[in-house]
Structure formats: structure tokens, C-alpha cells
Amino acid sequence: MKNLISTIKELKEIGITFDEYNLKECIHRYQTRQRSRELLDISKKINLDLSSDIVKVSIAAVVINYDDIVESGSLEMELIKTMSLRDSIFVKTIKKSNEFNELLYLVGDAVDRRTHKK
């Protein structure tokens, strides 16, 4: 990620301009995808059932809080702890997040129509 940011700074220094909002959105989407992949790998390593909604909700919740968790503890432990949170309002809220939707694309549970052209 640091390489990406330094490359952007270098491009700005030579006069290339970017739509700042679009750039921030693209970087956020990239980070979300990378973090989701990392947590999917951890989930596979500890043999979690990726077809389970609670596993996907837990992964998305950890992705949303990734920075705080990385600073204070283990992603694997936090993922396991988050799986015990089964309150319906928590699950419904996470399922409405962009991070959960991105995760569905990564695991193949959603049809990607975002780039479909007629």
C-alpha cells in the first residue's frame, strides 16, 4: 500500500492530477479487497465454513475494524471472537455494508454485474 501512495505522490509531483474523491474510493476498495482476501486465507487456515453466513459476517466485521484490530491484537483471535456475536441487528447491519458485499463477490456468492457492458 505504501508503494501505491508513494507512486501517487510522484505522479502528482510531475503534474498529473487526479479526482481526489475517486482516488480515495479506489484506494478504499483496494484495501477492502486485500483485507478480505487476507481474512479469507485465515478462515481457510483454521477450517471455517465459508458458506456460513456468520463466518462471512464476522470476516466483514473484522475488515471494517481492521486498523484497530491490527494495532491491538490478532486477526485470527478477533475473527473467532466475532463469530460468537449473533445478535440479529449486528448481523443485519454488517450485511448492509460495502465490505460484506465485496466479500460476497470474492467468495463467489454474488454475481458481479458492476463491469457488465451491453
PDB file of all heavy atoms in Angstrom, residues 33-53:
ATOM      1  N   ARG A  33     -10.620  -5.091  -0.428  1.00  0.00           N
ATOM      2  CA  ARG A  33     -10.416  -6.363  -1.145  1.00  0.00           C
ATOM      3  C   ARG A  33      -9.211  -7.120  -0.585  1.00  0.00           C
ATOM      4  O   ARG A  33      -9.282  -8.321  -0.354  1.00  0.00           O
ATOM      5  CB  ARG A  33     -10.225  -6.061  -2.633  1.00  0.00           C
ATOM      6  CG  ARG A  33     -10.687  -7.168  -3.531  1.00  0.00           C
ATOM      7  CD  ARG A  33     -10.694  -6.775  -4.997  1.00  0.00           C
ATOM      8  NE  ARG A  33     -11.733  -5.786  -5.267  1.00  0.00           N
ATOM      9  CZ  ARG A  33     -11.530  -4.669  -5.941  1.00  0.00           C
ATOM     10  NH1 ARG A  33     -10.365  -4.373  -6.423  1.00  0.00           N
ATOM     11  NH2 ARG A  33     -12.528  -3.828  -6.148  1.00  0.00           N
ATOM     12  N   GLN A  34      -8.110  -6.402  -0.354  1.00  0.00           N
ATOM     13  CA  GLN A  34      -6.894  -7.044   0.170  1.00  0.00           C
ATOM     14  C   GLN A  34      -7.123  -7.583   1.576  1.00  0.00           C
ATOM     15  O   GLN A  34      -6.694  -8.692   1.895  1.00  0.00           O
ATOM     16  CB  GLN A  34      -5.725  -6.050   0.173  1.00  0.00           C
ATOM     17  CG  GLN A  34      -5.248  -5.669  -1.213  1.00  0.00           C
ATOM     18  CD  GLN A  34      -4.863  -6.868  -2.056  1.00  0.00           C
ATOM     19  OE1 GLN A  34      -5.579  -7.261  -2.952  1.00  0.00           O
ATOM     20  NE2 GLN A  34      -3.736  -7.451  -1.756  1.00  0.00           N
ATOM     21  N   ARG A  35      -7.785  -6.817   2.408  1.00  0.00           N
ATOM     22  CA  ARG A  35      -8.070  -7.252   3.776  1.00  0.00           C
ATOM     23  C   ARG A  35      -9.018  -8.438   3.781  1.00  0.00           C
ATOM     24  O   ARG A  35      -8.855  -9.367   4.573  1.00  0.00           O
ATOM     25  CB  ARG A  35      -8.635  -6.086   4.581  1.00  0.00           C
ATOM     26  CG  ARG A  35      -7.599  -5.010   4.808  1.00  0.00           C
ATOM     27  CD  ARG A  35      -8.174  -3.757   5.398  1.00  0.00           C
ATOM     28  NE  ARG A  35      -7.117  -2.776   5.638  1.00  0.00           N
ATOM     29  CZ  ARG A  35      -7.316  -1.594   6.130  1.00  0.00           C
ATOM     30  NH1 ARG A  35      -8.542  -1.199   6.462  1.00  0.00           N
ATOM     31  NH2 ARG A  35      -6.303  -0.774   6.323  1.00  0.00           N
ATOM     32  N   SER A  36     -10.007  -8.418   2.907  1.00  0.00           N
ATOM     33  CA  SER A  36     -10.942  -9.542   2.808  1.00  0.00           C
ATOM     34  C   SER A  36     -10.213 -10.813   2.376  1.00  0.00           C
ATOM     35  O   SER A  36     -10.456 -11.887   2.929  1.00  0.00           O
ATOM     36  CB  SER A  36     -12.057  -9.225   1.812  1.00  0.00           C
ATOM     37  OG  SER A  36     -12.849  -8.160   2.287  1.00  0.00           O
ATOM     38  N   ARG A  37      -9.325 -10.672   1.407  1.00  0.00           N
ATOM     39  CA  ARG A  37      -8.551 -11.843   0.963  1.00  0.00           C
ATOM     40  C   ARG A  37      -7.693 -12.393   2.091  1.00  0.00           C
ATOM     41  O   ARG A  37      -7.579 -13.607   2.261  1.00  0.00           O
ATOM     42  CB  ARG A  37      -7.679 -11.476  -0.233  1.00  0.00           C
ATOM     43  CG  ARG A  37      -8.449 -11.327  -1.506  1.00  0.00           C
ATOM     44  CD  ARG A  37      -7.534 -11.085  -2.700  1.00  0.00           C
ATOM     45  NE  ARG A  37      -8.311 -10.941  -3.891  1.00  0.00           N
ATOM     46  CZ  ARG A  37      -8.275  -9.887  -4.706  1.00  0.00           C
ATOM     47  NH1 ARG A  37      -7.453  -8.889  -4.441  1.00  0.00           N
ATOM     48  NH2 ARG A  37      -9.028  -9.827  -5.770  1.00  0.00           N
ATOM     49  N   GLU A  38      -7.073 -11.496   2.853  1.00  0.00           N
ATOM     50  CA  GLU A  38      -6.244 -11.922   3.980  1.00  0.00           C
ATOM     51  C   GLU A  38      -7.079 -12.693   5.004  1.00  0.00           C
ATOM     52  O   GLU A  38      -6.676 -13.758   5.480  1.00  0.00           O
ATOM     53  CB  GLU A  38      -5.609 -10.700   4.644  1.00  0.00           C
ATOM     54  CG  GLU A  38      -4.735 -11.021   5.830  1.00  0.00           C
ATOM     55  CD  GLU A  38      -4.137  -9.789   6.485  1.00  0.00           C
ATOM     56  OE1 GLU A  38      -4.340  -8.657   6.009  1.00  0.00           O
ATOM     57  OE2 GLU A  38      -3.459  -9.976   7.507  1.00  0.00           O
ATOM     58  N   LEU A  39      -8.268 -12.194   5.309  1.00  0.00           N
ATOM     59  CA  LEU A  39      -9.124 -12.875   6.273  1.00  0.00           C
ATOM     60  C   LEU A  39      -9.722 -14.153   5.715  1.00  0.00           C
ATOM     61  O   LEU A  39      -9.946 -15.110   6.455  1.00  0.00           O
ATOM     62  CB  LEU A  39     -10.196 -11.924   6.780  1.00  0.00           C
ATOM     63  CG  LEU A  39      -9.613 -10.951   7.800  1.00  0.00           C
ATOM     64  CD1 LEU A  39     -10.347  -9.646   7.832  1.00  0.00           C
ATOM     65  CD2 LEU A  39      -9.568 -11.599   9.163  1.00  0.00           C
ATOM     66  N   LEU A  40      -9.960 -14.204   4.422  1.00  0.00           N
ATOM     67  CA  LEU A  40     -10.397 -15.464   3.804  1.00  0.00           C
ATOM     68  C   LEU A  40      -9.306 -16.518   3.941  1.00  0.00           C
ATOM     69  O   LEU A  40      -9.603 -17.686   4.250  1.00  0.00           O
ATOM     70  CB  LEU A  40     -10.754 -15.250   2.330  1.00  0.00           C
ATOM     71  CG  LEU A  40     -12.094 -14.581   2.058  1.00  0.00           C
ATOM     72  CD1 LEU A  40     -12.209 -14.209   0.585  1.00  0.00           C
ATOM     73  CD2 LEU A  40     -13.240 -15.479   2.479  1.00  0.00           C
ATOM     74  N   ASP A  41      -8.061 -16.129   3.735  1.00  0.00           N
ATOM     75  CA  ASP A  41      -6.943 -17.064   3.907  1.00  0.00           C
ATOM     76  C   ASP A  41      -6.862 -17.563   5.347  1.00  0.00           C
ATOM     77  O   ASP A  41      -6.653 -18.751   5.588  1.00  0.00           O
ATOM     78  CB  ASP A  41      -5.618 -16.410   3.504  1.00  0.00           C
ATOM     79  CG  ASP A  41      -5.499 -16.204   2.004  1.00  0.00           C
ATOM     80  OD1 ASP A  41      -6.274 -16.831   1.248  1.00  0.00           O
ATOM     81  OD2 ASP A  41      -4.641 -15.397   1.584  1.00  0.00           O
ATOM     82  N   ILE A  42      -7.025 -16.656   6.301  1.00  0.00           N
ATOM     83  CA  ILE A  42      -7.007 -17.050   7.718  1.00  0.00           C
ATOM     84  C   ILE A  42      -8.163 -18.012   8.001  1.00  0.00           C
ATOM     85  O   ILE A  42      -7.985 -19.025   8.682  1.00  0.00           O
ATOM     86  CB  ILE A  42      -7.097 -15.800   8.631  1.00  0.00           C
ATOM     87  CG1 ILE A  42      -5.801 -14.999   8.554  1.00  0.00           C
ATOM     88  CG2 ILE A  42      -7.403 -16.204  10.073  1.00  0.00           C
ATOM     89  CD1 ILE A  42      -5.866 -13.629   9.230  1.00  0.00           C
ATOM     90  N   SER A  43      -9.338 -17.722   7.459  1.00  0.00           N
ATOM     91  CA  SER A  43     -10.511 -18.573   7.667  1.00  0.00           C
ATOM     92  C   SER A  43     -10.289 -19.975   7.118  1.00  0.00           C
ATOM     93  O   SER A  43     -10.661 -20.969   7.749  1.00  0.00           O
ATOM     94  CB  SER A  43     -11.737 -17.966   6.993  1.00  0.00           C
ATOM     95  OG  SER A  43     -12.018 -16.710   7.538  1.00  0.00           O
ATOM     96  N   LYS A  44      -9.681 -20.052   5.944  1.00  0.00           N
ATOM     97  CA  LYS A  44      -9.387 -21.365   5.357  1.00  0.00           C
ATOM     98  C   LYS A  44      -8.364 -22.113   6.195  1.00  0.00           C
ATOM     99  O   LYS A  44      -8.470 -23.320   6.386  1.00  0.00           O
ATOM    100  CB  LYS A  44      -8.877 -21.198   3.927  1.00  0.00           C
ATOM    101  CG  LYS A  44      -9.956 -20.744   2.960  1.00  0.00           C
ATOM    102  CD  LYS A  44      -9.376 -20.454   1.587  1.00  0.00           C
ATOM    103  CE  LYS A  44     -10.418 -19.845   0.675  1.00  0.00           C
ATOM    104  NZ  LYS A  44      -9.842 -19.404  -0.605  1.00  0.00           N
ATOM    105  N   LYS A  45      -7.373 -21.371   6.710  1.00  0.00           N
ATOM    106  CA  LYS A  45      -6.315 -21.979   7.514  1.00  0.00           C
ATOM    107  C   LYS A  45      -6.877 -22.618   8.789  1.00  0.00           C
ATOM    108  O   LYS A  45      -6.425 -23.681   9.204  1.00  0.00           O
ATOM    109  CB  LYS A  45      -5.268 -20.929   7.871  1.00  0.00           C
ATOM    110  CG  LYS A  45      -4.063 -21.464   8.619  1.00  0.00           C
ATOM    111  CD  LYS A  45      -3.063 -20.364   8.904  1.00  0.00           C
ATOM    112  CE  LYS A  45      -3.341 -19.879  10.318  1.00  0.00           C
ATOM    113  NZ  LYS A  45      -2.464 -18.818  10.762  1.00  0.00           N
ATOM    114  N   ILE A  46      -7.879 -21.978   9.390  1.00  0.00           N
ATOM    115  CA  ILE A  46      -8.454 -22.532  10.617  1.00  0.00           C
ATOM    116  C   ILE A  46      -9.743 -23.314  10.340  1.00  0.00           C
ATOM    117  O   ILE A  46     -10.513 -23.611  11.254  1.00  0.00           O
ATOM    118  CB  ILE A  46      -8.677 -21.440  11.690  1.00  0.00           C
ATOM    119  CG1 ILE A  46      -9.611 -20.335  11.204  1.00  0.00           C
ATOM    120  CG2 ILE A  46      -7.359 -20.867  12.155  1.00  0.00           C
ATOM    121  CD1 ILE A  46      -9.939 -19.279  12.261  1.00  0.00           C
ATOM    122  N   ASN A  47      -9.953 -23.661   9.076  1.00  0.00           N
ATOM    123  CA  ASN A  47     -11.046 -24.543   8.640  1.00  0.00           C
ATOM    124  C   ASN A  47     -12.444 -24.029   8.976  1.00  0.00           C
ATOM    125  O   ASN A  47     -13.301 -24.793   9.424  1.00  0.00           O
ATOM    126  CB  ASN A  47     -10.855 -25.958   9.215  1.00  0.00           C
ATOM    127  CG  ASN A  47      -9.614 -26.610   8.688  1.00  0.00           C
ATOM    128  OD1 ASN A  47      -9.306 -26.503   7.502  1.00  0.00           O
ATOM    129  ND2 ASN A  47      -8.883 -27.267   9.563  1.00  0.00           N
ATOM    130  N   LEU A  48     -12.688 -22.750   8.758  1.00  0.00           N
ATOM    131  CA  LEU A  48     -14.036 -22.214   8.943  1.00  0.00           C
ATOM    132  C   LEU A  48     -14.849 -22.466   7.682  1.00  0.00           C
ATOM    133  O   LEU A  48     -14.316 -22.502   6.576  1.00  0.00           O
ATOM    134  CB  LEU A  48     -13.981 -20.715   9.246  1.00  0.00           C
ATOM    135  CG  LEU A  48     -13.299 -20.314  10.541  1.00  0.00           C
ATOM    136  CD1 LEU A  48     -13.287 -18.792  10.681  1.00  0.00           C
ATOM    137  CD2 LEU A  48     -13.978 -20.943  11.741  1.00  0.00           C
ATOM    138  N   ASP A  49     -16.144 -22.640   7.841  1.00  0.00           N
ATOM    139  CA  ASP A  49     -17.050 -22.907   6.728  1.00  0.00           C
ATOM    140  C   ASP A  49     -17.422 -21.591   6.057  1.00  0.00           C
ATOM    141  O   ASP A  49     -18.240 -20.828   6.569  1.00  0.00           O
ATOM    142  CB  ASP A  49     -18.298 -23.621   7.252  1.00  0.00           C
ATOM    143  CG  ASP A  49     -19.303 -23.923   6.171  1.00  0.00           C
ATOM    144  OD1 ASP A  49     -18.969 -23.798   4.963  1.00  0.00           O
ATOM    145  OD2 ASP A  49     -20.447 -24.292   6.522  1.00  0.00           O
ATOM    146  N   LEU A  50     -16.836 -21.327   4.893  1.00  0.00           N
ATOM    147  CA  LEU A  50     -17.067 -20.059   4.191  1.00  0.00           C
ATOM    148  C   LEU A  50     -18.465 -19.946   3.593  1.00  0.00           C
ATOM    149  O   LEU A  50     -18.852 -18.877   3.117  1.00  0.00           O
ATOM    150  CB  LEU A  50     -16.015 -19.852   3.107  1.00  0.00           C
ATOM    151  CG  LEU A  50     -14.595 -19.652   3.626  1.00  0.00           C
ATOM    152  CD1 LEU A  50     -13.610 -19.546   2.473  1.00  0.00           C
ATOM    153  CD2 LEU A  50     -14.501 -18.429   4.509  1.00  0.00           C
ATOM    154  N   SER A  51     -19.229 -21.025   3.622  1.00  0.00           N
ATOM    155  CA  SER A  51     -20.605 -20.926   3.138  1.00  0.00           C
ATOM    156  C   SER A  51     -21.543 -20.443   4.242  1.00  0.00           C
ATOM    157  O   SER A  51     -22.682 -20.080   3.978  1.00  0.00           O
ATOM    158  CB  SER A  51     -21.081 -22.283   2.601  1.00  0.00           C
ATOM    159  OG  SER A  51     -21.132 -23.235   3.651  1.00  0.00           O
ATOM    160  N   SER A  52     -21.053 -20.396   5.459  1.00  0.00           N
ATOM    161  CA  SER A  52     -21.850 -19.954   6.603  1.00  0.00           C
ATOM    162  C   SER A  52     -21.950 -18.435   6.636  1.00  0.00           C
ATOM    163  O   SER A  52     -20.958 -17.730   6.511  1.00  0.00           O
ATOM    164  CB  SER A  52     -21.201 -20.466   7.890  1.00  0.00           C
ATOM    165  OG  SER A  52     -21.718 -19.797   9.007  1.00  0.00           O
ATOM    166  N   ASP A  53     -23.174 -17.946   6.835  1.00  0.00           N
ATOM    167  CA  ASP A  53     -23.383 -16.500   6.912  1.00  0.00           C
ATOM    168  C   ASP A  53     -22.628 -15.878   8.071  1.00  0.00           C
ATOM    169  O   ASP A  53     -22.087 -14.784   7.939  1.00  0.00           O
ATOM    170  CB  ASP A  53     -24.872 -16.176   7.050  1.00  0.00           C
ATOM    171  CG  ASP A  53     -25.531 -15.869   5.732  1.00  0.00           C
ATOM    172  OD1 ASP A  53     -24.844 -15.900   4.700  1.00  0.00           O
ATOM    173  OD2 ASP A  53     -26.745 -15.591   5.735  1.00  0.00           O
TER     174      ASP A  53
END
